[in-house]
Amino acid sequence: KMAGNSTPWIGSAYLFLQSTCKTIVLPSLYESSQKKPSVFKALKLALADSTGSVNGVDMLKVHCSHPHLIVQLKFCRQENCRRFLRSYREGALQESLQNHLQLSLAMTTVPLEMELKAGNEHLDNMLKDEDRCLECIYREKPDRLRDEEITELEECLKSLIVHQSINNNMAVKDCVSLNSPSLPHPSQGSSLSPQDTFIFQEQQFANRTLTPDDHQKFAKLVSKKWKQVGRSLQKNCRALRDPVIDNLALEYDREGLYEQAYQLLLRFIQSEGKKATIGRLIAALEENSLISLAEELLGLHSNEDCS
């Protein structure tokens, strides 16, 4: 029987997360010191969305068990657990986490599969019976205190929120990007440093981070030369070594050139984060005589489609 009025309601469950995109490996992202704060922030915000409160559910530990990221959850109130279960059952938690990961990691999309377990019970098989799920979660008392790493990440996230309230013109960003200067607008002209701009065809352009629109245009228009562009990018990107490029060619052979090129640039964006800039891509395109595509990405073509 579940706890009465005299004792607090406490239960535990494990949330298993896996990306359905082969090039997005959640445990690897979490194991990266650069990406970890961003992944944690997305988890924290999505869980807050699911319960309607920042403190509605507590993360005790995040396990990396390839290909899964496993989050151990602790619930201290039955009503919060009910809200979480409804959000999970209706797909709202999944949608929220996908959106937060996409924003935090600056990716185009992060498709997810989820599974919820309490002890040996697979709760996905009994989601329609909310009371039974609650009983399973209540039976599984937390077997640990919160990890020090989780506490540190919580403190980091709090400091970012404080930073945001002081600087209302900034969005909440991960620990790394907050320490880097924001990109000046092209209208600032001479105040731009060489790192913030690049020259193409004797014109100066802001060296912005690649956008989803850039990503799609590149995949659509690069055609058979996507491998050569990848080898140009690999000079300063360890994630695009020759075996990776060859594997992408084999893995997405059936899907065709668009998907191969899309996955190549996705690897670049995932690996480099904010450093995945338009300037680096334009340089790689120039090196492979893809001037027309470079012009298209920079908006120098009057017509929208150069195919």
Side-chain angles (χ1 to χ4, degrees), residues 19-51:
S19 170
T20 55
C21 176
K22 293 179 181 178
T23 57
I24 300 175
V25 184
L26 290 177
S28 298
L29 289 171
Y30 192 79
E31 286 167 342
S32 159
S33 58
Q34 248 189 334
K35 302 289 185 185
K36 182 177 288 185
S38 299
V39 176
F40 179 80
K41 181 178 76 171
L43 288 168
K44 184 74 177 173
L45 293 174
L47 290 170
D49 289 344
S50 73
T51 58

Side-chain angles (χ1 to χ4, degrees), residues 21 52 80 113 137 167 174 196-197 246 257 280 296 304:
C21 176
N80 286 337
E113 279 184 354
I137 291 171
N167 301 279
D174 61 43
D196 296 324
T197 64
D246 292 338
L257 293 172
R280 290 174 70 180
E296 179 69 21
E304 289 187 3

Side-chain angles (χ1 to χ4, degrees), residues 10-176:
I10 296 175
S12 182
Y14 287 89
L15 182 62
F16 287 70
L17 304 169
Q18 180 181 1
S19 170
T20 55
C21 176
K22 293 179 181 178
T23 57
I24 300 175
V25 184
L26 290 177
S28 298
L29 289 171
Y30 192 79
E31 286 167 342
S32 159
S33 58
Q34 248 189 334
K35 302 289 185 185
K36 182 177 288 185
S38 299
V39 176
F40 179 80
K41 181 178 76 171
L43 288 168
K44 184 74 177 173
L45 293 174
L47 290 170
D49 289 344
S50 73
T51 58
S53 167
V54 175
N55 301 313
V57 55
D58 194 14
M59 280 188 278
L60 297 182
K61 184 174 176 62
V62 178
H63 306 261
C64 293
S65 178
H66 290 258
H68 291 100
L69 198 65
I70 308 170
V71 187
Q72 185 174 4
L73 304 173
K74 174 186 174 184
F75 299 92
C76 291
R77 294 178 66 182
Q78 188 182 140
E79 61 192 81
N80 286 337
C81 193
R82 282 190 187 277
R83 288 195 195 103
F84 170 85
L85 284 169
R86 287 167 191 162
S87 177
Y88 181 86
R89 184 178 67 235
E90 293 163 5
L93 174 63
Q94 181 174 351
E95 185 178 352
S96 174
L97 183 52
Q98 286 177 165
N99 290 338
H100 285 303
L101 283 169
Q102 183 179 338
L103 290 169
S104 294
L105 296 166
M107 293 181 178
T108 51
T109 182
V110 185
L112 293 175
E113 279 184 354
M114 290 185 167
E115 192 177 355
L116 190 63
K117 295 181 183 178
N120 294 323
E121 299 286 354
H122 290 250
L123 301 187
D124 298 75
N125 300 329
M126 58 179 85
L127 288 173
K128 290 181 180 178
D129 190 344
E130 193 173 288
D131 287 334
R132 188 180 167 200
C133 288
L134 283 166
E135 286 176 8
C136 293
I137 291 171
Y138 176 69
R139 280 201 305 267
E140 292 300 316
K141 295 293 183 278
D143 59 358
R144 65 167 70 242
L145 298 173
R146 184 196 287 183
D147 262 26
E148 287 181 10
E149 179 183 66
I150 297 289
T151 303
E152 288 171 11
L153 288 164
E154 290 269 13
E155 291 303 316
C156 175
L157 187 58
K158 284 177 188 174
S159 71
L160 296 185
I161 293 167
V162 170
H163 195 114
Q164 183 201 21
S165 66
I166 295 168
N167 301 279
N168 288 326
N169 61 329
M170 289 183 68
V172 175
K173 303 203 175 177
D174 61 43
C175 296
V176 178

Side-chain angles (χ1 to χ4, degrees), residues 198-307:
F198 65 97
I199 303 296
F200 175 74
Q201 294 183 346
E202 299 181 356
Q203 291 186 54
Q204 189 179 38
F205 294 90
N207 194 18
R208 56 179 173 74
T209 305
L210 290 169
T211 66
D213 188 50
D214 297 327
H215 197 164
Q216 289 174 0
K217 281 184 179 178
F218 171 81
K220 181 181 177 184
L221 302 173
V222 71
S223 193
K224 294 179 181 179
K225 284 198 171 183
W226 68 270
K227 275 191 178 184
Q228 288 97 307
V229 175
R231 292 194 175 100
S232 294
L233 289 171
Q234 78 180 194
K235 295 170 187 174
N236 299 306
C237 177
R238 292 182 179 180
L240 294 180
R241 290 174 178 166
D242 281 336
V244 174
I245 294 173
D246 292 338
N247 285 341
L248 289 175
L250 289 170
E251 194 173 341
Y252 296 97
D253 181 51
R254 287 186 179 182
E255 287 86 345
L257 293 172
Y258 175 92
E259 191 61 28
Q260 290 169 329
Y262 188 91
Q263 294 297 331
L264 172 86
L265 202 57
L266 183 62
R267 279 290 179 96
F268 178 65
I269 292 168
Q270 287 173 355
S271 169
E272 299 298 296
K274 301 291 182 185
K275 294 179 182 177
T277 61
I278 188 72
R280 290 174 70 180
L281 181 56
I282 294 298
L285 294 174
E286 278 192 284
E287 192 173 304
N288 292 282
S289 304
L290 291 165
I291 304 303
S292 180
L293 175 49
E295 291 173 344
E296 179 69 21
L297 291 174
L298 294 172
L300 298 178
H301 281 171
S302 56
N303 59 323
E304 289 187 3
D305 192 347
C306 64
S307 59

